[in-house]
Amino acid sequence: MVQLRVMTPDKERGEDVLAVLLPLLQACTALRVSEPTPLTHRGDGLRVVLDVQLAGVPTVRVEREDGPAAGRTRTGRGGAPARRQRRPALPPGG
C-alpha cells in the first residue's frame, strides 16, 4: 500500500494544500485515493494520511494491421523471439 502524508506545523496552510491536492488525485482515473485520515500528534498543525492505489490494469488498445502474417513475430518470455523446441533424438534401437 502506498501512503501520501501531508504534514505541517501550520494547520491552515496544510488544509489549503490538501484542498488543492485531493481533487487532483481523485480526478486521476489511474488512481484510487482514500479519504484523508487525520493522524494524532502533540501540538498544533496538520498531519493527514491518504492511501493511494492503482485503479487497475491499464487497458491496451491494439489496432489491426492487415497484411501477411509472415511478417509477424511471436515472442516468448521477456519479449525475446520464441524458439522452436526440438525433441532430443531417440537412442538407436537395439
Side-chain angles (χ1 to χ4, degrees):
M1 174 182 352
V2 176
Q3 292 184 334
L4 297 177
R5 293 179 184 223
V6 177
M7 302 186 326
T8 177
D10 184 348
K11 184 174 182 173
E12 190 172 313
R13 184 173 185 190
E15 288 173 345
D16 290 344
V17 168
L18 196 58
V20 172
L21 181 63
L22 192 57
L24 290 173
L25 291 171
Q26 290 172 335
C28 179
T29 59
L31 297 174
R32 288 188 312 183
V33 182
S34 72
E35 288 298 316
T37 303
L39 301 175
T40 58
H41 71 290
R42 295 183 205 111
D44 294 333
L46 180 73
R47 290 174 54 107
V48 175
V49 66
L50 303 164
D51 293 328
V52 181
Q53 297 178 9
L54 292 175
V57 177
T59 303
V60 177
R61 183 176 178 196
V62 178
E63 294 185 25
R64 181 177 175 169
E65 181 181 314
D66 291 324
R72 297 184 184 149
T73 305
R74 296 178 73 187
T75 58
R77 287 186 171 162
R83 294 183 183 166
R84 282 187 124 173
Q85 294 184 1
R86 296 183 183 188
R87 294 184 181 175
L90 294 174

